[in-house]
Structures are given as structure tokens and as C-alpha cells.
Amino acid sequence: ALDAIPSVNPDIVLMDVMMPVMDGITSTRVLTRERGTRVVLISDVSTRDAQLAFEALQAGAVDFLLKPFNREVVRSKTFSVLESQFVAGESSKQTL
């Protein structure tokens, strides 16, 4: 899926922290630095583990979701990120 990002050029990427080849923190660094892609990371760590959320934000993630979450939370966070992007006049990309 990460290989498809350059050709799709999405406005936002929702990505899990735990992935088989490259972890979400490293992937976020690559996507934000090389492509300017906005990333929301998802994790099933406990809410007490603020360090992982902090690392995600340092890597360039625009937000962080903890599992389990419901559809409304994902929709709300995604809308918020996209809204701030459009207000800033930065969207020329497509959303999938």
C-alpha cells in the first residue's frame, strides 16, 4: 500500500503503528518528509502509553487514534485534518 501512495497522492493516510515491513513511525517520517502526506497513526497500545503517541507526532503524524475506536471517531478526526488542509489552501490531492 505504501508503494501506491506516490501514484494515488492522497490527502490523508490512516496507518497502523504495527506493520509487517516498516513500522508506522518510520513510515510516517518517510511520508511526511518526502511527500508532505498527512498521516493519522492508529495503535492498540494502552492510553497510558503516551510515549508512542508523542513519537508519532514527532515523526510528523497529524493525529493519533487508539484502538478500539468507532467509525464516528475516525470520521471526525479525518474531517478535522482535511478541513484544516482545505482552510490552509493546501489540497490539490485526491481523497480515497
Side-chain angles (χ1 to χ4, degrees):
L2 291 175
D3 292 337
I5 289 174
S7 62
V8 175
N9 201 25
D11 284 307
I12 187 171
V13 172
L14 300 175
M15 180 179 357
D16 202 302
V17 171
M18 303 300 291
M19 297 189 306
V21 178
M22 183 186 301
D23 68 86
I25 303 289
T26 304
S27 298
T28 297
R29 280 190 191 102
V30 170
L31 290 173
T32 58
R33 289 184 185 153
E34 291 180 7
R35 308 224 22 96
T37 304
R38 286 170 174 76
V39 177
V40 174
L41 280 176
I42 302 167
S43 177
D44 60 359
V45 298
S46 95
T47 55
R48 292 173 282 148
D49 192 354
Q51 182 61 34
L52 188 57
F54 183 69
E55 288 178 32
L57 295 171
Q58 279 188 316
V62 293
D63 212 334
F64 192 83
L65 285 168
L66 291 173
K67 294 177 189 176
F69 50 82
N70 62 44
R71 182 177 297 175
E72 189 57 37
V73 170
V74 173
R75 190 170 77 145
S76 174
K77 287 198 179 246
T78 302
F79 180 77
S80 177
V81 170
L82 292 174
E83 182 179 45
S84 66
Q85 180 176 333
F86 285 110
V87 167
E90 300 172 359
S91 182
S92 61
K93 303 174 182 180
Q94 64 181 342
T95 303
L96 300 177

